[in-house]
Amino acid sequence: RNPISPNLFKIIRLCSLSAFCQAFAPKHQVTYPPSIAKRNTTLLLRKMSSTAQGSTGSSAKSKLPSMIVFDLDDCLWSPEMHELPGMPEMPVHGDLDDAGTQGVVGLQVLRYQDTVKLYPGARKVLHELATNPKYKGITLATASSSLEPSYSYACLDGIEILPGVVMGDLMSHNQIGRTGRLSGDKVGHFRLLHEESGIPYTEMLFFDDCNWGDHCARVSERYGVVSQQTPYGLQWEEFLQAMAKFEKQASK
């Protein structure tokens, strides 16, 4: 008999082992952990949603302002800064939204009861601007003739809209005070906002309480800025009204 060479014997053994494994190995598919599977599903749904939105075309999109500018005192929050007995710096916690998410909803003056809080409508508007993808391309800014700018900045840096996201994080430009190139007339505030951002005045939308003078009329007459008065603090309905007003003006 011709003996089988050691090398040939190894080859036969390996081939037999491979055939055995293929024949008897359990047929299975890779199963991802639930967290990964859920994440992949979420990413896929987002991609499908994004594609569906993109397929609607620009004709379905409403005309939005490039910049929204907010007054602060009596527009976004209360009380006014000059009414406070000192710097507001003690965080006051509460519900950031209707779901009961907890966060810093106001700042209190130490040793006093005076607390700066947002108007409910203003909080809803800022939350919407921060979370709705529809508005992600809009630049936000402030224009305030505050007599206590340091108090105003403290509130911007301390009051949250989302957990860990304060008002100041949302604002790309701030013109606060009435010194230097700023005065009680907000025409100067808007001149600086325009210089800093390069955004045309006609692409701006302005909210102001106008309780101490018609700043809306002044800015609109001087620069053509679409504006909305908020005499009782910014209300959700006023936000919708102003957005509709801007779209109508932009369509002319």
Side-chain angles (χ1 to χ4, degrees), residues 51-70:
T51 302
Q53 291 177 1
S55 65
T56 60
S58 59
S59 60
K61 296 180 179 179
S62 59
K63 290 181 171 60
L64 299 173
S66 297
M67 174 182 279
I68 295 180
V69 184
F70 297 100

Side-chain angles (χ1 to χ4, degrees), residues 13-220:
R13 187 172 65 178
L14 289 173
C15 290
S16 299
L17 180 61
S18 176
F20 175 83
C21 291
Q22 292 181 10
F24 294 96
K27 300 296 186 292
H28 66 281
Q29 62 183 11
V30 177
T31 302
Y32 293 100
S35 60
I36 296 179
K38 182 177 180 181
R39 182 178 63 189
N40 290 341
T41 301
T42 301
L43 291 174
L44 178 60
L45 290 174
R46 286 180 180 175
K47 183 176 181 181
M48 293 172 63
S49 176
S50 176
T51 302
Q53 291 177 1
S55 65
T56 60
S58 59
S59 60
K61 296 180 179 179
S62 59
K63 290 181 171 60
L64 299 173
S66 297
M67 174 182 279
I68 295 180
V69 184
F70 297 100
D71 174 36
L72 296 175
D73 291 359
D74 278 348
C75 179
L76 291 187
W77 61 44
S78 180
E80 297 186 70
M81 298 296 99
H82 69 269
E83 297 176 328
L84 299 175
M87 174 75 73
E89 52 188 327
M90 186 169 68
V92 175
H93 293 79
D95 294 342
L96 294 178
D97 52 37
D98 294 337
T101 306
Q102 293 296 294
V104 180
V105 297
L107 289 184
Q108 183 178 335
V109 181
L110 293 177
R111 298 185 299 278
Y112 293 89
Q113 296 300 314
D114 303 77
T115 302
V116 180
K117 288 188 176 182
L118 296 178
Y119 289 99
R123 173 166 290 284
K124 183 175 181 178
V125 168
L126 292 177
H127 186 276
E128 181 76 2
L129 292 171
T131 58
N132 192 333
K134 174 182 178 180
Y135 303 121
K136 66 179 181 180
I138 299 178
T139 297
L140 303 184
T142 63
S144 169
S145 54
S146 172
L147 291 169
E148 298 288 352
S150 61
Y151 295 3
S152 301
Y153 280 110
C155 292
L156 288 175
D157 292 339
I159 298 177
E160 292 181 321
I161 301 303
L162 302 170
V165 179
V166 297
M167 294 177 65
D169 293 332
L170 305 181
M171 306 301 170
S172 298
H173 304 277
N174 296 295
Q175 294 298 334
I176 302 175
R178 51 177 69 197
T179 60
R181 297 179 64 185
L182 301 178
S183 68
D185 187 343
K186 294 186 181 178
V187 166
H189 293 66
F190 272 82
R191 185 184 303 114
L192 291 176
L193 289 174
H194 170 64
E195 290 177 5
E196 288 183 357
S197 68
I199 295 175
Y201 294 114
T202 53
E203 294 181 15
M204 297 180 181
L205 177 61
F206 178 41
F207 293 91
D208 193 293
D209 64 276
C210 296
N211 290 326
W212 296 97
D214 197 344
H215 297 295
C216 287
R218 285 279 295 136
V219 172
S220 295

